[in-house]
Amino acid sequence: PADGDPAKAKITFTGEFEPGQSDSSAVETSLGASIAVTVAEGESRAEIKGGSIIDSVKNVSVDAATSGGAKTTSKAGYSKGNIGVGGAVSVQVASLDTKALIDKGADVSTKNSLNLSADSRLSFAVTANAAGKNTAAEMGVGAGIAVSVNGADAAAAVNDGAILKNL
């Protein structure tokens, strides 16, 4: 990033499946199934590494920001038939971290202020829709299972052993 601009990352993962449609002629039994899986991992990091020497007459800022998230959608429908059966499964696993750090061994001097910030604005959505697009003549059955396992950490830290001086 340019001097004074925070490190930023926009992370968006989307997994989506939508079944096609068969012809409109009626069949005895129609079946639709869908599975969508999203696995997402990402990190936004702004840091002053160990061994770095920062000597500033202005403010020193270490800012990390993350926005976005993950969306997983499965849609399963049946076409026209006497009996329609639909099933949808969506699985989402996401780990998205935002870190602003001053590491051990970093030497930071400033005449003004030292600011650290980690801003994480993420959204996660998972949907399993097993509703039929058309209407079965006699009976329609649909089942959807959606599983979401997500982790989002935001941390702003000065590690032990960092040297901070206000001149």
Side-chain angles (χ1 to χ4, degrees):
D3 189 29
D5 290 342
K8 293 184 181 181
K10 181 169 182 164
I11 302 170
T12 302
F13 299 95
T14 301
E16 187 167 342
F17 175 78
E18 184 156 354
Q21 206 63 26
S22 69
D23 66 37
S24 62
S25 60
V27 294
E28 184 62 30
T29 303
S30 65
L31 175 65
S34 173
I35 298 174
V37 178
T38 301
V39 178
E41 185 175 4
E43 181 178 77
S44 175
R45 177 185 287 258
E47 69 182 310
I48 299 175
K49 293 189 176 229
S52 299
I53 299 173
I54 306 291
D55 190 3
S56 177
V57 295
K58 297 182 178 182
N59 297 331
V60 174
S61 292
V62 181
D63 303 309
T66 304
S67 64
K71 175 183 175 185
T72 305
T73 303
S74 63
K75 297 178 184 178
Y78 44 83
S79 43
K80 292 182 180 179
N82 290 329
I83 299 172
V85 179
V89 177
S90 290
V91 177
Q92 179 184 90
V93 179
S95 175
L96 304 170
D97 297 329
T98 306
K99 296 179 181 175
L101 303 170
I102 298 178
D103 288 337
K104 175 181 179 178
D107 186 339
V108 181
S109 301
T110 179
K111 290 192 178 184
N112 287 321
S113 64
L114 172 63
N115 301 302
L116 273 84
S117 71
D119 184 13
S120 180
R121 297 172 192 247
L122 300 168
S123 66
F124 299 98
V126 61
T127 305
N129 183 348
K133 281 189 165 187
N134 294 306
T135 305
E138 294 179 22
M139 178 177 68
V141 177
I145 299 172
V147 178
S148 181
V149 179
N150 297 312
D153 295 322
V158 177
N159 292 329
D160 288 342
I163 302 165
L164 305 178
K165 296 180 256 180
N166 190 323
L167 302 175

